[in-house]
Amino acid sequence: MAAIALLGKDFREHWVSLLFLALGCVTVFLLLLIQNKGATFSMSSLEVVRYALLYLMPVVSLIVGNRLIVNEYLSGTRLFVEALPLGQSLPLVLKYFLGLVYLCTIAVLLLLLSVSSASLADEITTAYLLLITSKTLVMTWLFWSIVFCFSLCGYLRVMLYLLLVGMVAAFVFLPNVNAELIPPIALMDQQLFVFERDVIPWFAIIGTAV
């Protein structure tokens, strides 16, 4: 009952903003698909999913983390929840899974929109769709886990985000660093994310999930 009450509280507080966020995310993605269709040298519609994972989903994850976690600390609502005889872990676990389900739902919806607009040349088989879906969900899980953990760090989260961005930039752009050994970067490889069909990148998928 306590878990249902807490979920109901979060739903009442955030459903409007999260609904508009989802609609905005879908609108932006549809515009990307339309722009790709009209381009002279258009790429695969599924490659738009990769761009959405790189540039759109991190922003959406930040907004969700700010709504579900940071705003509660700033408004003092979090102190009220912690004062209830529920323990400190249950509210956090519920918020984590609430945010994860929300973001994964958006990610799958974007993927389905991409599949529906894909051309015949994409040859989307069931196995290939499952592979792309697994990559998409694992990356979404990674983004939300990072945002969730950093959102609990108060004002220190800004420094942590900057440090993370610097580390990722170093791994990607420094010539002496083998980015293929870093699972999330290997998973989002420009060539392999969309065009890898026959080989399942277990190292990249499991490494990113862990």
Side-chain angles (χ1 to χ4, degrees), residues 3-145:
I4 296 176
L6 287 175
L7 288 175
K9 166 189 166 296
D10 285 331
F11 179 79
R12 290 190 301 271
E13 289 181 355
H14 305 295
W15 76 271
V16 175
S17 58
L18 293 181
L19 176 61
F20 277 100
L21 177 62
L23 292 175
C25 188
V26 170
T27 301
V28 171
F29 190 78
L30 288 175
L31 291 175
L32 290 174
L33 288 176
I34 294 172
Q35 183 182 21
N36 179 59
K37 286 281 187 180
T40 305
F41 300 99
S42 61
M43 57 186 177
S44 169
S45 296
L46 290 172
E47 198 165 351
V48 181
V49 176
R50 176 180 173 273
Y51 280 93
L53 285 175
L54 286 175
Y55 304 110
L56 183 60
M57 291 306 295
V59 176
V60 176
S61 300
L62 282 172
I63 296 174
V64 174
N66 188 69
R67 289 290 307 179
L68 292 181
I69 304 170
V70 177
N71 280 359
E72 281 205 352
Y73 279 102
L74 295 178
S75 63
T77 308
R78 187 69 200 161
L79 298 177
F80 169 75
V81 174
E82 291 179 350
L84 297 175
L86 303 173
Q88 295 185 2
S89 59
L90 178 61
L92 291 177
V93 170
L94 290 176
K95 284 186 179 294
Y96 178 81
F97 282 104
L98 178 63
L100 181 62
V101 170
Y102 174 79
L103 291 170
C104 286
T105 301
I106 292 180
V108 171
L109 179 58
L110 299 184
L111 180 60
L112 293 177
L113 290 173
S114 178
V115 170
S116 65
S117 66
S119 63
L120 296 177
D122 287 320
E123 297 183 33
I124 300 176
T125 62
T126 302
Y128 178 59
L129 180 59
L130 290 175
L131 178 59
I132 292 292
T133 302
S134 65
K135 293 179 179 180
T136 301
L137 292 179
V138 165
M139 287 304 301
T140 303
W141 185 6
L142 175 64
F143 291 144
W144 174 237
S145 298

Side-chain angles (χ1 to χ4, degrees), residues 161-171:
Y161 283 127
L162 293 175
L163 180 61
L164 178 62
V165 171
M167 290 176 58
V168 172
F171 289 144

